[in-house]
Amino acid sequence: MKLWEGRFENPTAANADGFNDSLPFDKKLWKEDIAASVAHATMLGKQKIITETETEKITDGLRAVYTDIESGKLEIAGAEDIHSFVENELVKRIGDAGKKLHTARSRNDQVATDFRLYTRTAFEKTAHSLARLITSLCGLAEKGLDFIMPGYTHLRKAQPMCAGHFWNAYSEMFLRDLDRIHGSAERANVMPLGSGALAGTSYPIDRSMTARLLGFEKPCENSLDGVSDRDFVCEYLFDGSLIMMHLSRLCEDMILYSTEEFGFIEIPDEYSTGSSIMPQKKNPDVCELTRGKTGRVYGHLTAMLTLLKALPLAYDKDLQEDKEAFFDAETQVLNCVNIMAEMLEHVAFKPERAAVAAESEFCCATDVADYLAKKGVPFRDAHAVTGKIVRDCIAKGATLQSMTYEEYKSYDAHFDKDIVQTVKAKNCADARTSFGGASAASVKNNLQSIKQRLEKYTG
Ligand code: ARG
């Protein structure tokens, strides 16, 4: 039975029904819909808008519907949306009292409330998964404290760094994501219920009570905004998009670093796949798929922002499109964060290859220039001298490490014997002791701080 058929002479066309129905996807909200209805009925009873007996019948009936859906006895089908389904089922079971449940509410405030309750859990799950991901990254950073690797700019070797620095950089990104998720969750925790269709209600409802019962911080203060606001959906999609972007960058780095050409890390067999034709292949599919799914989540954000653009107040059916975008984004984000957290626990760092790479391609050139600058040579001149050294080395097939002290001295009188030690990649990395820098000591401090900041969220 449709909740609104009284006004209509003719039934809707079968195709129009199918087109309008949201039950196939909003059935996901059944728990939230029942919880919000129980709270609403309890409040109606307390405010004497319905009788005590009616309240009891409704809440008991709703709980029985809950139990039957949970046990699989009751299949969610045969209604326009989850709100109609639950109400129809209640009326089927308890009769007239059930018909009073919808007093002083509309599906417009109902769906907005259900959805906020649902997103609350989604925010929690995402925060939990992010915390696990950061923990995995911390494990790799910890092991990385003893090793070095090259850092890159323009995807060209730039400067040696403690390997932990690389993993910590990603922890910083995901910590910001965690912070964003918490901020968004806080903003989302405002209750639309009681906004009615758009303008509130003439019944003496107690919205603070319903908010309290449902764990919302407070009821929203404007009913028009209450039924039409989907900022919380956009925020999740944006937060999720940033998480995916960070994951995608991590994946891209891991894809590169696990190639034969780089060879810094090994992605374990358990998280790789082979080729049907090339027997030698071991492909980083988990990383590639995560990188690929990033576009899909961005797509949901774009869809939602576009949906809301120029949407007149208050509720419009366009808003029904919010759910599929959200549900899919949530699934993709959680799946990707979780698989990555798990995979990272098994990723092996290959210190020998990384150490060789950290010393090659003149990765230590900045340190040669800095060496001279610290002895009083203006940095610009030091840069030029070092550039000349590099150019000559390339011509001769020499390296900064193969050059003798005398050879260095022939370029500039400021070079002393210790230049030979200075240009060792490990020493270059360890010299970067600035706050937030790439020395093992700085990286260790960074790691400690990351763990502390994470603890603030995980308690
Ligand atoms: N299925 C609808 C949605 O998801 C519920 C609200 C319907 N309200 C209405 N006035 N048609 O948005």
Side-chain angles (χ1 to χ4, degrees):
M1 196 199 88
K2 296 218 168 63
L3 300 176
W4 39 262
E5 62 191 19
R7 185 236 178 274
F8 286 78
E9 246 170 70
N10 301 318
T12 31
N15 280 344
D17 263 345
F19 186 73
N20 270 314
D21 290 355
S22 53
L23 191 66
F25 49 88
D26 72 11
K27 62 182 176 191
K28 241 187 145 116
L29 300 174
W30 69 271
K31 284 185 182 169
E32 289 77 12
D33 194 74
I34 294 176
S37 291
V38 169
H40 180 66
T42 309
M43 181 278 293
L44 290 179
K46 146 106 192 324
Q47 296 300 97
K48 309 225 176 314
I49 299 167
I50 59 174
T51 67
E52 227 168 85
T53 324
E54 285 164 343
T55 308
E56 220 164 274
K57 272 194 184 167
I58 292 173
T59 51
D60 286 352
L62 286 169
R63 288 190 185 108
V65 173
Y66 188 105
T67 311
D68 288 352
I69 296 175
E70 197 175 36
S71 69
K73 216 167 105 188
L74 177 62
E75 194 203 338
I76 304 178
E80 182 185 340
D81 55 28
I82 189 61
H83 326 295
S84 316
F85 175 81
V86 171
E87 192 177 320
N88 287 346
E89 190 57 34
L90 183 70
V91 174
K92 244 192 255 167
R93 292 175 185 221
I94 67 163
D96 280 350
K99 294 184 190 164
K100 294 205 172 179
L101 171 61
H102 212 55
T103 313
R105 80 171 182 190
S106 151
R107 277 184 302 163
N108 298 352
D109 58 348
Q110 198 181 348
V111 69
T113 304
D114 292 0
F115 204 17
R116 280 185 195 249
L117 286 173
Y118 182 91
T119 57
R120 184 194 290 167
T121 315
F123 279 123
E124 274 164 19
K125 280 192 205 159
T126 309
H128 185 265
S129 296
L130 278 174
R132 187 176 162 208
L133 176 64
I134 297 168
T135 306
S136 299
L137 287 165
C138 286
L140 281 160
E142 190 95 54
K143 286 186 219 150
L145 287 177
D146 298 329
F147 306 121
I148 57 165
M149 66 183 281
Y152 293 81
T153 65
H154 310 269
L155 203 53
R156 267 95 179 133
K157 284 190 191 122
Q159 290 173 349
M161 55 186 199
C162 165
H165 207 42
F166 169 75
W167 304 107
N168 279 348
Y170 282 102
S171 285
E172 292 287 352
M173 297 178 217
F174 294 119
L175 268 175
R176 287 197 294 275
D177 290 331
L178 193 51
D179 198 51
R180 251 186 298 274
I181 288 282
H182 273 89
S184 297
E186 237 169 69
R187 273 185 295 281
N189 203 24
V190 172
M191 187 194 70
L193 197 61
S195 296
L198 74 161
T201 175
S202 55
Y203 294 94
I205 58 172
D206 180 351
R207 297 188 63 212
S208 297
M209 175 185 176
T210 338
R212 223 172 23 251
L213 289 175
L214 291 171
F216 283 107
E217 204 209 310
K218 56 181 185 187
C220 68
E221 296 192 30
N222 180 301
S223 60
L224 267 185
D225 180 47
V227 292
S228 65
D229 171 27
R230 294 295 183 275
D231 290 2
F232 63 103
V233 179
C234 296
E235 283 209 38
Y236 183 87
L237 294 175
F238 176 72
D239 297 351
S241 292
L242 247 54
I243 293 171
M244 292 302 296
M245 180 269 281
H246 293 147
L247 278 178
S248 180
R249 294 186 74 173
L250 172 61
C251 287
E252 177 63 15
D253 274 337
M254 299 221 299
I255 291 166
L256 281 172
Y257 293 173
S258 63
T259 56
E260 258 315 307
E261 288 78 358
F262 283 76
F264 304 161
I265 62 168
E266 181 76 28
I267 297 176
D269 283 6
E270 290 84 343
Y271 299 90
S272 305
T273 61
S275 155
S276 61
I277 177 171
M278 297 167 283
Q280 85 284 12
K281 293 277 265 169
K282 183 175 153 187
N283 296 327
D285 287 33
V286 170
C287 289
E288 289 171 304
L289 203 49
T290 302
R291 193 178 56 185
K293 283 175 187 289
T294 304
R296 178 164 163 185
V297 176
Y298 288 2
H300 294 314
L301 173 63
T302 308
M304 196 60 208
L305 291 172
T306 311
L307 185 157
L308 290 167
K309 177 187 172 293
L311 196 70
L313 285 178
Y315 179 85
D316 302 279
K317 187 76 166 208
D318 315 44
L319 289 171
Q320 181 166 287
E321 287 286 301
D322 58 1
K323 282 171 270 315
E324 283 166 295
F326 186 96
F327 292 149
D328 185 58
E330 181 201 9
T331 304
Q332 303 316 320
V333 169
L334 288 177
N335 284 350
C336 292
V337 175
N338 289 338
I339 189 86
M340 207 50 64
E342 186 184 310
M343 192 183 93
L344 287 174
E345 283 170 18
H346 305 279
V347 162
F349 189 73
K350 290 153 90 178
E352 298 81 14
R353 286 285 297 267
V356 170
E359 218 160 65
S360 59
E361 268 90 38
F362 305 97
C363 235
C364 302
T366 314
D367 300 83
V368 175
D370 284 342
Y371 178 97
L372 290 176
K374 282 175 196 164
K375 301 230 161 170
V377 180
F379 182 77
R380 201 41 64 217
D381 297 338
H383 186 290
V385 172
T386 311
K388 172 93 174 73
I389 295 174
V390 168
R391 194 150 33 99
D392 292 348
C393 277
I394 292 171
K396 286 190 290 197
T399 66
L400 294 178
Q401 290 74 29
S402 71
M403 282 195 23
T404 61
Y405 152 64
E406 289 77 14
E407 284 171 311
Y408 274 109
K409 192 95 185 160
S410 70
Y411 284 93
D412 192 298
H414 291 89
F415 280 117
D416 274 316
K417 289 209 167 102
D418 58 349
I419 183 61
V420 179
Q421 287 305 317
T422 302
V423 294
K424 297 217 160 112
K426 172 92 175 80
N427 296 337
C428 295
D430 279 343
R432 297 207 159 74
T433 52
S434 55
F435 180 77
S439 70
S442 297
V443 171
K444 201 170 172 189
N445 286 337
N446 186 195
L447 179 58
Q448 219 159 27
S449 153
I450 287 166
K451 286 181 181 168
Q452 272 165 9
R453 280 177 279 156
L454 179 62
E455 217 168 279
K456 254 192 9 211
Y457 293 108
T458 52

